[in-house]
């Protein structure tokens, strides 16, 4: 029907001058031009006026100019001319020139709203999309189809509607079930109907594709993954990236244990702000689990732009926990730049790709129960890359601790008994009112004496190596009581 010309303009009028910008169009290869835009001076200004040079427009200085050409230019070839007539005023900036067609019938697929990038069930999954009438004539009906992994198309036809020009419409399609792993959903519109005919004049906006992953379930803890199998991601795990060139990959170039690990290759990347997520299965938690923990091996060395700046951001590794398949998340661990590094050297820029040796790995431990409670959950290992250096991970372990019932009943437990050289005083929580632990041998002689000032930890190891076998008396002195217990050293 017509042609839309748009461009972004930034100009600050120079006081006392009147620069001019004209946009003209030709349909006869430049032999003649018709003016479609002509502004000067204060009318051209998008950022006010000044007596200083306008050298670097900021975002608020830009304005989008939109011009609709009449139908005489809708067919055939056209040439645009952007003409500056200087009055010794100020700089004129132009960006994002866009020439597009406006059609009589044009139904566009705007977004795929469901499934999500990560799904935690094989189905049924209900696809949901948003379409919009990008043409001029009202649409009274249409057909939408989708394919899953290049399978047979599934169609849905709507009729008896009135979708006016510019109006969006959200619809759901027929549900599907699929398998654990990576999938591709393609949605496309077919044959919009108007009072004047059927068919779509613009096929460039008819379809969209969505890559999504379905993760599996880990029915019991512990979950241990050392990335030794051939396949990656591991069974029941998932991976999501915002940049195809940067993603978690398996590598045999380095490992904390075994022969392989996973790595984000930030060093050779060409883009900033890449986000790569490695996602665990849905972990079945249990109300009998008193505590849930995460441990993993990490290796990292800063890149050439360490320590970084606002214009040179650093690599980041973040671990998030979700109890609703990624709809909401909580950060349980996050490091970047120098705080992320695991090497023993002082912080300094590194200009070579980092491949860790055995001594470069560091074990990381996270207490998950404050975030997970007793609910089922997933962990997201999120690498945010900024072209610095490679991040390596190995030996991911998620495990639970179940405390003895006697410990939960009386608040403390001393074990083992009998013991060989050491025994453990285990409190249910940090015993801030514990003042001292003392051990006496069978003759009453004090052989161990440890004092506290609100700093006692929940698990205290008592070492009596070198002492004679026999009966010993443990005395635990609190601010409000004293507990005495007999132990036997073998």
């Amino acid at each position: 029907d017509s042609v839309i010309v748009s461009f972004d303009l930034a100009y600050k009028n120079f006081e006392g001058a009147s620069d001019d910008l004209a946009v003209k169009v030709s349909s006869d290869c430049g032999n003649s031009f018709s003016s479609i835009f002509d502004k000067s001076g204060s009318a051209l200004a998008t950022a006010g006026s000044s007596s200083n040079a306008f050298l670097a427009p900021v975002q608020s200085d830009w304005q989008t100019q939109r011009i609709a050409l009449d139908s005489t230019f809708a067919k055939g070839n056209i040439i645009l001319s952007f003409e500056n007539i200087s009055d010794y005023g100020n700089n004129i900036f132009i960006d994002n020139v866009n020439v597009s067609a406006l059609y009589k019938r044009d139904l566009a697929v705007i977004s795929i709203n469901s499934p999500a990038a990560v799904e935690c069930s094989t189905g049924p999954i209900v696809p949901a999309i948003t379409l919009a009438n990008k043409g001029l004539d009202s649409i009274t009906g249409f057909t939408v189809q989708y394919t899953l992994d290049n399978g047979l198309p599934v169609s849905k036809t709507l009729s008896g509607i009135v979708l006016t020009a510019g109006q969006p419409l959200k619809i759901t399609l027929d549900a599907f079930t699929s398998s654990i792993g990576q999938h591709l959903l393609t949605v496309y519109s077919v044959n919009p109907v108007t009072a004047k005919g059927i068919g779509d004049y613009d096929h460039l906006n008819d379809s969209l594709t969505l890559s999504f992953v379905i993760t599996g379930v880990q029915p019991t803890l512990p979950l241990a993954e050392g990335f030794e199998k051939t396949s990656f991601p591991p069974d029941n795990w998932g991976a999501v990236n915002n940049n195809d060139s940067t993603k978690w990959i398996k590598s045999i170039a380095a490992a904390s244990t075994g022969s392989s690990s996973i790595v984000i290759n930030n060093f050779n990347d060409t883009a900033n702000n890449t986000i790569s997520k490695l996602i665990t299965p849905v972990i079945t938690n249990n109300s009998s689990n008193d505590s849930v923990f995460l441990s993993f091996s990490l290796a990292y060395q800063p890149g050439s732009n360490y320590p970084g700046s606002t214009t040179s951001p650093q690599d980041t590794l973040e671990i998030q926990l979700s109890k609703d398949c990624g709809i909401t998340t909580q950060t349980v661990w996050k490091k970047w730049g120098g705080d992320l590094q695991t090497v023993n050297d002082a912080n300094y820029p590194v200009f070579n790709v980092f491949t860790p040796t055995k001594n470069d790995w560091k074990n990381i431990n996270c207490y998950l129960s404050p975030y997970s409670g007793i609910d089922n959950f997933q962990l997201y290992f999120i690498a945010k890359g900024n072209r610095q250096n490679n991040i390596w991970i190995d030996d991911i372990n998620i495990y639970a601790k179940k405390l003895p019932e006697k410990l939960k009943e009386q608040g403390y437990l001393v074990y083992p008994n009998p013991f060989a050289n050491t025994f453990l005083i285990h409190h249910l929580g940090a015993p801030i009112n514990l003042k001292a632990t003392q051990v006496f041998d069978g003759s009453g002689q004090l052989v161990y004496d440890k004092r506290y000032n609100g700093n006692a930890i929940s698990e205290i190891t008592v070492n009596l190596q070198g002492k004679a076998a026999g009966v010993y008396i443990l005395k635990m002195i609190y601010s409000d009581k004293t507990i005495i217990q007999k132990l036997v050293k073998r």
Side-chain angles (χ1 to χ4, degrees):
D1 181 81
S2 59
V3 174
I4 304 298
V5 176
S6 66
F7 61 94
D8 291 338
L9 169 68
Y11 174 71
K12 184 172 287 189
N13 185 40
F14 195 87
E15 296 174 356
S18 186
D19 301 313
D20 185 274
L21 176 66
V23 182
K24 300 178 180 180
V25 61
S26 170
S27 58
D28 57 7
C29 199
N31 291 315
S32 61
F33 281 90
S34 301
S35 179
I36 59 174
F37 176 96
D38 194 343
K39 291 183 179 181
S40 61
S42 59
L44 180 65
T46 64
S49 61
S50 173
S51 58
N52 298 317
F54 186 49
L55 300 177
V58 298
Q59 186 173 6
S60 59
D61 294 334
W62 292 91
Q63 290 183 10
T64 299
Q65 313 296 312
R66 188 176 187 274
I67 309 155
L69 307 187
D70 61 41
S71 58
T72 59
F73 296 104
K75 298 179 180 179
N77 301 324
I78 61 172
I79 294 174
L80 292 175
S81 170
F82 291 79
E83 299 182 5
N84 164 59
I85 302 174
S86 173
D87 192 33
Y88 301 98
N90 230 326
N91 296 336
I92 299 175
F93 293 85
I94 290 177
D95 200 1
N96 300 323
V97 176
N98 186 44
V99 183
S100 60
L102 181 61
Y103 297 91
K104 293 180 179 179
R105 281 193 306 276
D106 182 13
L107 181 63
V109 181
I110 301 300
S111 63
I112 300 177
N113 310 320
S114 174
V118 180
E119 292 284 340
C120 298
S121 169
T122 56
I125 297 172
V126 180
I129 65 171
T130 299
L131 303 104
N133 183 359
K134 293 293 187 179
L136 293 176
D137 297 341
S138 294
I139 294 174
T140 58
F142 59 85
T143 297
V144 175
Q145 295 181 334
Y146 77 80
T147 59
L148 181 65
D149 300 328
N150 297 316
L152 294 175
V154 179
S155 298
K156 182 172 185 175
T157 300
L158 275 74
S159 60
I161 63 172
V162 179
L163 195 63
T164 58
Q167 183 180 358
L169 178 65
K170 294 182 178 181
I171 65 171
T172 58
L173 307 178
D174 292 343
F176 64 84
T177 59
S178 192
S179 58
I180 293 170
Q182 201 74 34
H183 298 281
L184 189 68
L185 178 71
T186 303
V187 179
Y188 46 98
S189 63
V190 180
N191 291 335
V193 179
T194 71
K196 299 177 181 179
I198 185 172
D200 199 312
Y201 286 116
D202 180 16
H203 296 296
L204 295 179
N205 57 15
D206 286 354
S207 65
L208 283 180
T209 60
L210 171 70
S211 176
F212 68 99
V213 65
I214 300 177
T215 60
V217 175
Q218 174 71 19
T220 58
L221 288 176
L223 168 62
E225 182 56 59
F227 307 104
E228 297 299 317
K229 293 183 179 179
T230 303
S231 61
F232 183 84
D235 295 342
N236 296 319
W237 292 57
V240 176
N241 316 287
N242 75 340
N243 184 297
D244 288 337
S245 67
T246 307
K247 60 184 70 176
W248 288 109
I249 60 172
K250 178 182 172 181
S251 174
I252 59 172
S256 175
T257 62
S259 60
S260 59
S261 61
I262 60 172
V263 61
I264 285 286
N265 188 3
N266 291 322
F267 186 87
N268 292 319
D269 197 14
T270 58
N272 282 338
N273 302 316
T274 60
I275 299 176
S276 305
K277 301 180 181 180
L278 179 67
I279 306 157
T280 70
V282 176
I283 295 167
T284 304
N285 209 344
N286 194 307
S287 58
S288 64
N289 292 337
D290 296 294
S291 300
V292 180
F293 298 87
L294 161 71
S295 70
F296 64 98
S297 295
L298 169 69
Y300 179 76
Q301 194 169 29
S304 59
N305 288 324
Y306 182 83
S309 65
T310 55
T311 58
S312 180
Q314 296 297 296
D315 300 326
T316 298
L317 178 64
E318 181 175 2
I319 300 172
Q320 295 179 348
L321 182 146
S322 178
K323 298 189 283 187
D324 52 16
C325 199
I327 297 175
T328 60
T329 59
Q330 304 173 79
T331 297
V332 301
W333 189 90
K334 185 177 181 179
K335 301 287 184 183
W336 62 88
D339 290 336
L340 183 63
Q341 75 165 357
T342 61
V343 295
N344 294 324
D345 296 333
N347 296 334
Y348 62 90
V350 176
F351 299 93
N352 300 315
V353 62
F354 173 61
T355 302
T357 65
K358 289 293 184 181
N359 294 329
D360 293 331
W361 293 88
K362 180 180 179 181
N363 185 251
I364 307 297
N365 292 279
C366 303
Y367 183 32
L368 301 180
S369 292
Y371 306 95
S372 66
I374 61 172
D375 299 317
N376 299 343
F377 65 91
Q378 285 176 295
L379 293 181
Y380 289 63
F381 292 79
I382 305 172
K384 300 177 181 180
N386 281 291
R387 300 189 298 161
Q388 296 302 304
N389 223 324
N390 296 350
I391 303 174
W392 300 76
I393 285 180
D394 200 2
D395 298 329
I396 296 175
N397 289 280
I398 304 169
Y399 58 96
K401 283 188 177 181
K402 296 182 179 180
L403 301 178
E405 289 300 321
K406 189 174 182 180
L407 170 61
K408 290 187 278 188
E409 290 173 3
Q410 65 183 19
Y412 75 95
L413 191 63
V414 181
Y415 60 92
N417 189 14
F419 66 95
N421 292 306
T422 63
F423 63 87
L424 187 70
I425 304 172
H426 192 173
H427 289 83
L428 197 55
I432 59 175
N433 63 338
L434 181 63
K435 300 301 181 183
T437 54
Q438 297 176 329
V439 180
F440 300 85
D441 63 16
S443 65
Q445 181 180 355
L446 182 65
V447 296
Y448 178 91
D449 188 8
K450 179 72 172 177
R451 305 300 172 108
Y452 309 97
N453 185 23
N455 59 345
I457 60 177
S458 60
E459 297 184 20
I460 301 170
T461 300
V462 178
N463 189 345
L464 296 185
Q465 187 172 10
K467 303 298 181 183
V471 176
Y472 288 84
I473 301 298
L474 168 66
K475 181 184 287 188
M476 295 181 288
I477 303 171
Y478 301 85
S479 58
D480 57 347
K481 61 185 176 182
T482 298
I483 294 176
I484 297 175
Q485 182 166 332
K486 183 173 70 174
L487 296 101
V488 176
K489 185 176 188 298
R490 296 195 300 267

